[in-house]
Amino acid sequence: GLSAARSRSAAALDAAVEAELAPLRMERAKFETRVTPGEPGPTGVDEVQFQVATNPGAPAGPLGRIASGGELSRFLLALKVCLSRDQQGVTMIFDEIDRGVGGATADAVGRRLVALAEGGQVLVVTHSPQVAALGAHHWRVEKRVTGGQTLSTVVALDAEARVDEIARMLSGDSITAEARAAATSLIG
């Protein structure tokens, strides 16, 4: 029945998510989809809950309670990758999926997003220079308040403006030669 199918699908999802966690620098984390009897309702008689343990020896608990902001972002990225795996040409939008991570972990998240874009279109809103540098295209979103109204504009960046924007992301409003060199190195 439906409960047995959910249990089989849960086991397959768990294996797929755990395989996705290693490239996201969470190779020791555990992910489990628990399917337990619940109150009958329009979606069946099962309660489905994602349980995680983020460190070896740590107890498992609900995803939203156990995972930190950066861990939660990476679990959600892994889930989205697994759930969209067989869909070609899909467009996925990630809004600060790299929140709470930096350095090598942000780079790992960015590289996973690049790989994901091979089968579809991936749009990423990010404040991470490591992630932004890996994009095929780069736009800057600007907000201005004029006459009591907020106006957002999106500006496509050419190669030079992209270096400047990533340098700004690295160093703040004052863009130095060192920040430009670091941005150029990130873009590769």
Side-chain angles (χ1 to χ4, degrees):
L2 181 57
S3 295
R6 283 181 171 153
S7 292
R8 284 191 303 276
S9 293
L13 179 63
D14 294 349
V17 168
E18 287 206 10
E20 284 294 325
L21 294 176
L24 297 173
R25 301 181 62 91
M26 291 183 69
E27 50 280 326
R28 293 190 174 117
K30 297 294 176 198
F31 179 89
E32 179 187 1
T33 307
R34 291 195 182 158
V35 180
T36 56
E39 292 295 317
T43 59
V45 296
D46 301 313
E47 293 279 336
V48 179
Q49 186 178 67
F50 297 137
Q51 296 275 313
V52 300
T54 56
N55 297 301
L63 175 63
R65 187 171 55 82
I66 296 294
S68 68
E71 291 165 341
L72 183 60
S73 294
R74 288 179 281 162
F75 275 117
L76 293 177
L77 175 56
L79 271 166
K80 204 161 200 176
V81 167
C82 294
L83 295 173
S84 66
R85 186 162 281 146
D86 296 329
Q87 300 175 22
Q88 287 298 311
V90 68
T91 296
M92 287 182 264
I93 301 170
F94 295 95
D95 186 3
E96 296 189 40
I97 194 72
D98 49 10
R99 180 182 55 229
V101 300
T105 302
D107 182 67
V109 168
R111 291 185 188 286
R112 191 62 194 100
L113 290 165
V114 169
L116 187 57
E118 291 173 7
Q121 182 178 35
V122 175
L123 303 172
V124 180
V125 176
T126 184
H127 293 283
S128 167
Q130 291 90 346
V131 172
L134 292 168
H137 303 280
H138 194 147
W139 294 272
R140 181 178 54 242
V141 178
E142 299 171 345
K143 286 186 181 181
R144 291 196 180 109
V145 178
T146 307
Q149 294 225 324
T150 302
L151 178 65
S152 296
T153 57
V154 179
V155 179
L157 302 180
D158 62 18
E160 184 178 339
R162 184 174 189 206
V163 169
D164 285 350
E165 180 63 13
I166 291 174
R168 187 196 59 75
M169 293 170 82
L170 285 165
S171 67
D173 288 336
S174 177
I175 300 174
T176 63
E178 291 83 6
R180 270 196 187 87
T184 301
S185 176
L186 278 177
I187 294 169

